[in-house]
Amino acid sequence: MSNTPMATNPLTRAVLEIDEYASGLGWDQPARLFALVDTARLRAQEPGLAAQLGLRDEPETTGLTPIEQEEIPAGKPLDEFLGTIAWPDAVAGCALTVERLMLPPSAEASVPEGLSGQKLTQWVARHPDRQEVRMTVAVLRDGSRDSALRLREKDSPTEVLTGGALVPGLAEALSATFED
């Protein structure tokens, strides 16, 4: 049985399902990209794939099925990689899970001037107030978005934060993958 908390919105359910999957893999994992497809459409148009994904015996409800894509190339900046993606019409949305270091807002004033890129990353990694976080962000073609944030120090399904505006920059980058 899944430990995913209940959610009424199909997009929130998909985000929490991906978060739970990523949690099962442990920390220090590479970023993962998922296509989100309409579950009913998948069952109707791809019954073999639906059966392979264990969806054949699921109750007939509306929802989104996350399908993990090929591994994101190592060494390629995430924004550059996302700029190369184009989704077929059957894909209703997409999601990405990625781990990062975050600082509390109170630490912004202490960032040394002139740091960027690798030097900023190193500074954040040494900061005593840094937090390791796993972000799962999903968007739909219609502009809907949701996300889940899990802190490594509070690694529990009941401690996952959700909301559509938690990681706006990443949501914008994912939305851009659906633009012509």
Side-chain angles (χ1 to χ4, degrees):
M1 181 169 195
S2 171
N3 289 325
T4 303
M6 293 300 295
T8 58
N9 179 320
L11 186 56
T12 303
R13 282 195 309 267
V15 165
L16 290 171
E17 182 179 330
I18 293 167
D19 173 75
E20 180 183 13
Y21 167 75
S23 177
L25 298 172
W27 286 87
D28 304 318
Q29 296 292 313
R32 289 185 154 69
L33 181 67
F34 298 82
L36 299 176
V37 296
D38 178 89
T39 303
R41 183 175 177 185
L42 177 64
R43 279 191 197 111
Q45 294 179 351
E46 298 287 342
L49 178 57
Q52 185 180 357
L53 295 173
L55 301 173
R56 184 175 32 200
D57 299 327
E58 291 286 315
E60 293 291 326
T61 61
T62 59
L64 296 165
T65 298
I67 300 175
E68 188 171 4
Q69 303 301 291
E70 291 184 25
E71 198 170 296
I72 295 174
K76 186 166 192 167
L78 195 54
D79 58 342
E80 286 180 24
F81 171 73
L82 292 175
T84 67
I85 295 174
W87 297 103
D89 291 340
V91 174
C94 65
L96 182 79
T97 184
V98 63
E99 296 175 14
R100 292 290 185 258
L101 292 176
M102 285 180 35
L103 292 176
S106 61
E108 286 182 30
S110 66
V111 176
E113 288 189 37
L115 287 185
S116 62
Q118 187 175 4
K119 289 189 186 269
L120 180 60
T121 302
Q122 291 170 347
W123 183 84
V124 170
R126 290 189 305 266
H127 196 283
D129 295 331
R130 73 187 177 282
Q131 295 278 329
E132 290 181 73
V133 63
R134 181 182 304 116
M135 302 175 285
T136 302
V137 180
V139 300
L140 296 179
R141 285 184 186 271
D142 68 7
S144 302
R145 50 180 68 173
D146 211 337
S147 52
L149 244 60
R150 182 186 291 247
L151 296 174
R152 190 171 190 157
E153 73 174 25
K154 295 183 178 184
D155 194 0
S156 163
T158 61
E159 296 288 336
V160 175
L161 302 172
T162 60
L166 294 177
V167 193
L170 188 51
E172 287 297 323
L174 289 173
S175 292
T177 66
F178 291 102
E179 295 173 2
D180 293 330

